[in-house]
Amino acid sequence: MKLYQTLLLSLLTIPIYAQQPEQTLTYRAEAAVTVSDGDYAPLWLTANRYGMTGNESKNAYLRAGIAWDKTLKHDWRIAAGLDLAGGKNLTSNFWLQQAYADISWKKLTLSLGSKERNGFPLEKNPQLTTGWMTEGPNTRPIPQLRVEIKDFLDIPGLGHWLALKGHLAYGWFTDSNWQEDFVGNNRYFTKGTKYHSKSLLFRLGNREKLPLEFEFGLIMATQFGGSKYFKNAQGEVSKTMDMPDDLGAYWSAFFPQAGGDDTIEGEQKNVEGNMLGSWNFALNYYLNNWKFRIYLDHYFEDHSQMFWEYGRWKDGQLGIEITPPQNRWITSVVWEGFSTYDQTGPIQYEDRWGSFPGMQTSGADNYYNHGIYNAWQHYGMAMGNPLLPGPAYNADGSITFRSNRVKAQHIGLCGNPTEEWSWRVLATYARYWGTYATPLDKVRKQAYTLAEVTYLPAWAKGWSVTLAGAMDRGNYLGNNTGGSLTLRKTGSLLK
């Protein structure tokens, strides 16, 4: 924490008073309030907002930040940002939302700190998608040291037919205190958990010569290190386990080692901590001024479902995005089909002593849940797709996903009728089965809807107001109806 704050402050002290076209210093101030009449705020008023809002039926926040960017000679660029927030009925009363420093050369960037990022590397429409399977904008940013090629980089000598992008990152979860406060008695939680992720995505195709592009790659993420604690019936906390966090643990998180057995220690030896990820595929077709995009975000945990060893893939997110020619009303349309229902089936079996020693059938993958780290979550929200509501929705204080077997259909539309007005609509229908180990008493059904409009008045430069109404209907999260109002001011500090 102190390291990246020091770097940020040192960058911000570079003189900014000179009027230079290659330098920008912008500010942002924002206030939002959400009011609902159900047990929770409607899902689409909470999800995919970088953890700024919460699931409490009534909540509010204030935030203010600055961002500085300077272009240097020889394709170098430096940037920094600081963003502070405070709120009511949220997971924190005051927090550091963003604090980062970036150093870039051409398309390569070294980033240090907390920074809001959309899901990566597979591009989706952030306004219309339900989210990303492995990690996306559903939680507060993870502080990290990150090396990335954010935009596709052509591989030299191939005539622009092959390009790639990707990243490598190490960081740490910051919700240790939240976990201790939230967790119920006779339950486990973790502190000091470390974070690792990496991705690589290729793009095959040259749009100038053929209107078709194919993207393929994967992202992998890991929870490792830290310590596991137990809160007893009297609310007293005791440490039960220290997970490896030496240099060897960082290497094992990057490159999972073979070996180990079915004990906790053996699992850590086999795959350092909680390893998960997704395969990413996309096909883009350009027809005159239309763009058609089909994408598949296939989720896996450990080695089950990473390949076709246990049968064809049945889980993941299949999406279609249609971008029509520029017009006054519809900018983009997205449909997504979503499933985490199969999870390699309900059976997890290993025959060590019977007729077929060494034969193993892996199943019951238990997505987003883990025996050591409890859940793939940050401050109670899913690190991945919000259609799996996170531990923040658990009245019993368990840091797990109550239902990770889900099927859903989703559609989203957005438009910009004028330069001053924009809108979007989301509609989702989902079914929930619980988990294989703890199924729900019956299949629960839930519908989530959102209608939102934003006004950027030309007569009030830099000001905007967003009004949103949303409803949840069903018997999983219940019937929740609410609205939110967001007032925002942006501008430049350089004249």
Side-chain angles (χ1 to χ4, degrees):
M1 180 74 74
K2 291 181 180 179
L3 177 60
Y4 72 80
Q5 285 179 332
T6 301
L7 181 55
L8 172 67
L9 292 174
S10 66
L11 285 173
L12 290 178
T13 57
I14 296 176
I16 61 175
Y17 49 79
Q19 184 175 357
Q20 301 177 32
E22 70 275 12
Q23 179 174 254
T24 63
L25 180 64
T26 58
Y27 68 88
R28 168 182 177 175
E30 185 175 297
V33 60
T34 299
V35 178
S36 311
D37 67 356
D39 294 332
Y40 306 106
L43 182 76
W44 291 131
L45 294 182
T46 302
N48 293 331
R49 298 172 187 261
Y50 299 103
M52 284 298 303
T53 61
N55 65 340
E56 293 285 341
S57 61
K58 297 176 178 62
N59 63 78
Y61 71 81
L62 293 169
R63 71 185 295 182
I66 57 174
W68 174 66
D69 191 292
K70 184 175 178 63
T71 301
L72 306 173
K73 296 180 180 179
H74 308 297
D75 297 314
W76 286 90
R77 189 177 71 256
I78 53 177
L82 180 65
D83 196 354
L84 306 177
K88 179 69 173 178
N89 292 336
L90 302 174
T91 52
S92 304
N93 294 324
F94 178 80
W95 68 96
L96 192 67
Q97 179 71 5
Q98 296 189 96
Y100 65 88
D102 293 351
I103 301 175
S104 302
W105 179 68
K106 294 188 176 181
K107 291 190 176 183
L108 180 65
T109 297
L110 173 65
S111 182
L112 178 63
S114 297
K115 187 177 183 180
E116 292 182 348
R117 297 180 176 89
N118 284 326
F120 189 83
L122 183 66
E123 291 186 9
K124 304 176 187 179
N125 188 318
Q127 283 190 294
L128 302 184
T129 181
T130 60
W132 282 257
M133 296 300 295
T134 298
E135 60 176 348
N138 194 47
T139 69
R140 291 188 198 171
I142 298 286
Q144 58 192 267
L145 177 63
R146 183 182 183 100
V147 179
E148 66 180 349
I149 300 173
K150 186 170 64 173
D151 300 314
F152 278 110
L153 174 67
D154 284 328
I155 297 178
L158 298 178
H160 305 291
W161 282 96
L162 185 61
L164 61 81
K165 63 178 177 178
H167 85 284
L168 173 66
Y170 284 95
W172 61 96
F173 289 79
T174 59
D175 65 345
S176 297
N177 292 335
W178 176 86
Q179 287 198 38
E180 183 172 355
D181 293 339
F182 176 83
V183 72
N185 291 347
N186 294 317
R187 296 189 180 278
Y188 291 93
F189 66 98
T190 58
K191 284 187 173 184
T193 303
K194 304 300 188 300
Y195 161 89
H196 166 64
S197 67
K198 52 185 172 288
S199 69
L200 182 62
L201 189 75
F202 292 94
R203 184 184 67 194
L204 180 62
N206 185 337
R207 183 182 173 186
E208 295 181 356
K209 297 183 178 180
L210 182 69
L212 193 65
E213 296 171 335
F214 178 59
E215 301 170 16
F216 58 98
L218 82 165
I219 178 173
M220 299 177 69
T222 307
Q223 290 171 301
F224 70 103
S227 301
K228 188 173 183 178
Y229 292 81
F230 180 73
K231 182 183 284 189
N232 65 21
Q234 290 73 42
E236 298 172 340
V237 171
S238 60
K239 184 188 294 187
T240 61
M241 185 188 307
D242 274 322
M243 275 73 81
D245 58 3
D246 55 9
L247 289 178
Y250 282 79
W251 172 249
S252 296
F254 174 76
F255 189 77
Q257 305 296 302
D261 51 33
D262 59 359
T263 65
I264 289 178
E265 293 79 7
E267 181 177 349
Q268 287 181 308
K269 181 180 178 182
N270 182 31
V271 176
E272 188 71 25
N274 180 23
M275 192 280 289
L276 46 89
S278 58
W279 286 101
N280 296 165
F281 303 92
L283 187 66
N284 304 318
Y285 178 63
Y286 302 90
L287 178 63
N288 298 324
N289 292 323
W290 291 78
K291 179 182 178 181
F292 301 88
R293 179 173 172 85
I294 301 175
Y295 53 86
L296 173 64
D297 193 347
H298 168 69
Y299 183 79
F300 58 82
E301 292 211 359
D302 296 330
H303 300 295
S304 299
Q305 287 301 307
M306 190 172 183
F307 301 102
W308 282 39
E309 182 180 359
Y310 302 106
R312 67 180 178 86
W313 294 338
K314 299 179 182 179
D315 288 335
Q317 176 196 62
L318 178 65
I320 299 174
E321 181 178 6
I322 301 174
T323 305
Q326 185 175 358
N327 65 88
R328 293 188 59 188
W329 297 107
I330 297 179
T331 304
S332 186
V333 178
V334 166
W335 167 86
E336 289 178 347
F338 179 91
S339 176
T340 57
Y341 175 82
D342 184 63
Q343 302 190 30
T344 327
I347 298 175
Q348 190 168 38
Y349 171 76
E350 182 172 5
D351 189 345
R352 290 187 175 183
W353 313 107
S355 303
F356 304 97
M359 180 177 289
Q360 176 179 317
T361 300
S362 292
D365 288 340
N366 205 12
Y367 294 169
Y368 291 9
N369 287 326
H370 192 259
I372 300 174
Y373 293 95
N374 295 317
W376 180 236
Q377 64 84 43
H378 196 215
Y379 288 97
M381 307 297 287
M383 286 284 291
N385 198 289
L387 291 182
L388 279 66
Y393 290 88
N394 295 341
D396 61 0
S398 61
I399 304 180
T400 59
F401 285 81
R402 186 163 66 99
S403 178
N404 56 19
R405 300 183 64 221
V406 184
K407 286 188 176 184
Q409 297 285 331
H410 169 81
I411 189 168
L413 301 91
C414 66
N416 296 89
T418 71
E419 293 182 357
E420 293 184 305
W421 292 92
S422 63
W423 63 272
R424 65 170 175 153
V425 172
L426 305 178
T428 313
Y429 175 73
R431 291 174 291 165
Y432 295 86
W433 281 263
T435 68
Y436 279 124
T438 310
L440 299 176
D441 57 344
K442 59 181 178 181
V443 179
R444 301 279 177 164
K445 302 175 182 180
Q446 194 75 40
Y448 310 107
T449 59
L450 170 78
E452 181 180 275
V453 62
T454 298
Y455 177 47
L456 298 88
W459 51 268
K461 185 177 180 180
W463 287 91
S464 68
V465 60
T466 300
L467 181 64
M471 289 195 307
D472 297 346
R473 289 293 182 268
N475 55 5
Y476 186 63
L477 296 185
N479 297 329
N480 310 298
T481 303
S484 68
L485 178 67
T486 305
L487 184 65
R488 183 180 300 110
K489 177 69 170 73
T490 61
S492 175
L493 294 173
L494 295 179
K495 304 298 183 182

